[in-house]
Amino acid sequence: MTHFFNTRDTIVTEALDGLLVSRSPGQIARLDGYPSIKVICRADRDRSKVAVISGGGAGHEPSHAGFIGQGMLTAAVSGEIFASPSVDAVLAAIRAVTGAPGCLLIVKNYTGDRLNFGLAAERARTEGYRVEMVIVADDIAIPDNPRPRGVAGTLFVHKIAGYWAETGADLATVAAEAKAAAGASLSIGASLSSCSIPGQIFHERLSPGEGELGLGIHGEPGIERFTMASAAQLVETMLGRLREALPSSGHLALMLNNLGAVPPLEMSLIARQILQSWIAPRVRLLIGPAPLMTALNMNGFSISLIALDEAREAALLAPVGAPAWPGANPPGVIEVWPLVQAPSTGKAEPASAHETTERILRLACERLIGMEAELNALDARVGDGDTGSTLATGARSVLGEIAGYPLDDPAGTASAIGRALATSMGGSSGVLLSIFFTATAGALQSGLTLAPALSTGLDRVMFYGGARPGDRTMIDALAPALAAFEEGGLAAASRAARMGAELTRAMQKARAGRSAYLAAQDLEGAPDPGAMAVAAVFDVLETV
C-alpha cells in the first residue's frame, strides 16, 4: 500500500510541523529538540493552573496534539509511529508547561507508555515538580483481561481533566476527576482491515469479507474474527459486549470514533444504527462520529461510553480551544417535514381535441418507436447503446397519455409532455427533453408564439446541459431546425435538422454527452444518435 510521505525518518516531525502551520498563530508551539523530542504545547499556557499532558505513539491523529487548547490538553508528547515517546521527551513537556500547581499525566495502558511516562514523572518529582498520573484502561474487548488497553475512551479523560484544570481546580481534584472518568469509560472497536504503516510492507491478515472485533489501535489482533454480514449485526454485537460491562442504569455519553478509513457515509449509518438500538434512551450526549483516536488507515470504528453525572456532563459540554474536539451534543431526532405540494391551479385543465396537434405528436412518437433498434445501434458506437430505447420509452408514455392532453392549448400540451418525459425517461436525455418542453410551455404562457417559445426551450436546454452547436449532440440538429422553422416553416426545419445531424459525422471531438469520453477514431464517420433522432422527427413533421 502506498502512502504520502517523504522519508520514514521524518514523517512524524513533518506532520507535527504541518499541524503547527495549520493552526492560527499564537495557539500552539513545539519545543526545540526534533527529532528525539517531539512536544507540542499551548502557546498561551497558564502556569497558574494545573497542566494536563498526554501523548503516545504517532499514527493516532488527531490524537494527541489535535486536542491541545483551552479546556483540554496543555501539551502532547509524540513518539514515532505506534512507539511510546521517550522519558526525556515526556520530562521536557513537564518542564515546559508545569507551574506551581503541578501537572497531570494521562497515559494509555500500554507498557511502553506506562514506563516512559512513569519514569519521567519520578524524575520530575525529584526536580521539585508536583506530578500525578492517571492510567486509562477502557478497552473491554478481552474478558477478564488484567491489563486492558487504553483506547478512544482516553479522550473522555482528556476533556474532563482539561475542564477541571481550566476552572482552576487543584491537582488533587483534577487527578481525582480524571481517575474517576477513566474508571467509568468503556470502549470496543471493530475493523474490516488491519492498518498499513508508511515505509513498511503491508500484510493484510484479514480475508475479503472478514473483520475483527476488539482489535487494538496499533493494529494488534482482535479477540475474534467475524464474517461481515451487516452493520446492524455488528453494532448489535459490539453493544452487547458493552452492555455486560455497563452499570445497569444511568445516563451515558457516547463517542463514535472513526479508526481512520471509514467513509463519512458509513460512519453516519453506524451512528443511526446505534441511536436506534436499545442504548439510545440512555445516551444523553453524542461525540462524533469523527476520527478522534485513529489507527492510521484502519477501516474500522470504535464505540466508547462513559457514565454521566451532573459534573461530568458539564465538563463534556464545556467549550474548548482544541480544533479536533467535535463537541458533545444531545443526540438529534429524525425530524420529518411534509413535502411542499405544488401550488394548486384549481381544477385540472380538461382534455381537449386538436387534430393537427394530435397528428404531429403521434407521427413523432411513432417514428421514434420505429427507430428504436437503429438508434440503439448508432449509440452503441458512441455511447452506451440505449438512446433508441430511452426515446422510445418516452414516446410510448406520451402516446399512452395523449387522450388526456389539452391539445387545443399549446402551453398545456407542452407542459404535459414535459411531465411525461420527466417521469418515464431515464438518464440525462429525459431530463433535457423535459426541460425543453417545460420551458417552452412557460414561454407560451407568457405570450410568446410557438417559434420563439421553442427557441426559449432550446436556450434552457443549452444552459442547463452545457452543450452548444458543434459539440456533437442533439443540439446540432435541433438548433438549426428551430432557427429555420421560424423563418421558413416545417419544410425548412426538416432540411436544416437533417443537414445538422449529418454534419456530426465529421466532428472529430465531442464536447458534451457520453461521446466526449471517446477518442476521435472511435467517433469517425458515426453520426450523433440524438441528432439523428431529431432529424427523423422533423422529417415526418414535414408531411403534416
Side-chain angles (χ1 to χ4, degrees):
M1 186 173 292
T2 306
H3 297 267
F4 296 103
F5 70 104
N6 297 316
T7 69
R8 187 179 177 190
D9 291 342
T10 61
I11 185 171
V12 177
T13 54
E14 289 176 355
L16 289 173
D17 280 351
L19 176 67
L20 288 163
V21 299
S22 65
R23 295 276 294 269
S24 297
Q27 291 186 343
I28 57 175
R30 70 169 170 87
L31 299 185
D32 195 7
Y34 274 2
S36 58
I37 292 176
K38 295 180 280 290
V39 175
I40 309 294
C41 54
R42 280 179 62 178
D44 62 345
R45 61 194 183 280
D46 183 351
R47 290 177 178 272
S48 70
K49 296 178 179 179
V50 171
V52 180
I53 302 171
S54 189
H60 305 304
E61 289 69 25
S63 291
H64 302 82
F67 298 106
I68 295 172
Q70 182 180 8
M72 284 196 79
L73 298 182
T74 316
V77 193
S78 178
E80 292 299 314
I81 293 176
F82 295 166
S84 176
S86 67
V87 174
D88 286 344
V90 178
L91 187 56
I94 295 171
R95 291 170 180 156
V97 298
T98 305
C103 73
L104 175 68
L105 305 181
I106 299 173
V107 181
K108 296 185 296 299
N109 194 25
Y110 286 94
T111 301
D113 288 351
R114 288 176 65 129
L115 294 178
N116 285 286
F117 277 82
L119 180 52
E122 293 302 319
R123 288 177 57 182
R125 290 186 186 110
T126 67
E127 295 178 13
Y129 292 100
R130 300 179 61 206
V131 182
E132 294 291 340
M133 190 164 92
V134 170
I135 296 171
V136 185
D138 55 307
D139 185 16
I140 56 98
I142 304 173
D144 303 318
N145 183 8
R147 295 285 297 276
R149 297 169 291 204
V151 287
T154 307
L155 301 180
F156 287 134
V157 186
H158 288 174
K159 182 66 176 70
I160 290 166
Y163 165 80
W164 284 103
E166 197 64 39
T167 66
D170 61 20
L171 180 57
T173 300
V174 175
E177 294 291 344
K179 183 177 181 180
S185 300
L186 306 169
S187 297
I188 191 169
S191 183
L192 301 179
S193 76
S194 47
C195 55
S196 171
I197 298 176
Q200 292 187 11
I201 297 174
F202 174 61
H203 298 287
E204 178 58 78
R205 64 174 178 265
L206 299 176
S207 301
E210 191 176 42
E212 271 185 336
L213 181 67
L215 71 177
I217 56 173
H218 304 113
E220 310 98 308
I223 183 64
E224 63 184 73
R225 294 190 181 185
F226 59 87
T227 299
M228 184 59 192
S230 69
Q233 187 177 75
L234 177 57
V235 165
E236 182 181 358
T237 299
M238 295 170 74
L239 290 178
R241 303 294 175 88
L242 288 165
R243 189 175 204 166
E244 296 173 5
L246 278 174
S248 59
S249 61
H251 288 132
L252 304 166
L254 163 68
M255 182 186 300
L256 183 52
N257 172 49
N258 187 338
L259 283 165
V262 183
L265 175 74
E266 296 175 33
M267 289 302 298
S268 293
L269 181 151
I270 292 163
R272 169 196 173 273
Q273 200 65 49
I274 295 170
L275 292 171
Q276 290 189 348
S277 73
W278 61 266
I279 204 170
R282 296 185 61 183
V283 176
R284 192 171 178 89
L285 296 177
L286 173 65
I287 299 153
L292 299 164
M293 178 78 72
T294 65
L296 290 172
N297 57 354
M298 186 179 286
N299 184 24
F301 67 95
S302 63
I303 302 171
S304 297
L305 299 168
I306 186 171
L308 290 178
D309 55 25
E310 187 175 338
R312 204 170 282 159
E313 184 172 350
L316 291 173
L317 285 170
V320 298
W325 179 252
N329 302 287
V333 296
I334 299 176
E335 186 175 349
V336 180
W337 290 8
L339 292 174
V340 177
Q341 301 300 317
S344 174
T345 57
K347 187 169 67 175
E349 192 170 0
S352 58
H354 192 281
E355 184 178 348
T356 302
T357 301
E358 182 172 354
R359 176 172 168 75
I360 287 172
L361 290 180
R362 288 191 180 279
L363 283 172
C365 290
E366 288 165 0
R367 184 60 181 271
L368 289 174
I369 292 169
M371 292 184 69
E372 180 174 358
E374 179 184 345
L375 292 174
N376 279 344
L378 284 175
D379 191 38
R381 286 195 59 184
V382 299
D384 54 2
D386 67 350
T387 291
S389 297
T390 301
L391 290 172
T393 298
R396 291 187 184 100
S397 71
V398 171
L399 288 179
E401 298 176 6
I402 197 170
Y405 287 175
L407 296 175
D408 64 349
D409 174 15
T413 300
S415 181
I417 294 171
R419 289 193 299 272
L421 298 183
T423 301
S424 63
M425 290 178 69
S428 58
S429 56
V431 178
L432 289 171
L433 288 173
S434 180
I435 288 171
F436 175 74
F437 284 103
T438 302
T440 298
L444 290 167
Q445 289 168 349
S446 71
L448 293 182
T449 56
L450 182 59
L454 290 168
S455 294
T456 298
L458 173 62
D459 287 342
R460 293 293 85 193
V461 168
M462 292 192 293
F463 174 77
Y464 291 115
R468 294 288 184 272
D471 286 352
R472 208 179 197 283
T473 70
M474 70 175 181
I475 302 298
D476 289 298
L478 186 58
L482 294 184
F485 174 66
E486 191 162 5
E487 297 293 328
L490 284 174
S494 176
R495 290 192 297 272
R498 177 59 57 188
M499 183 179 297
E502 288 297 327
L503 286 174
T504 63
R505 293 181 186 271
M507 293 180 183
Q508 296 296 305
K509 179 63 180 172
R511 288 187 288 271
R514 289 188 180 272
S515 298
Y517 302 107
L518 300 181
Q521 62 265 25
D522 296 322
L523 299 174
E524 187 175 356
D528 178 75
M532 295 299 287
V534 170
V537 167
F538 274 98
D539 278 348
V540 297
L541 295 185
E542 188 179 3
T543 65
V544 175

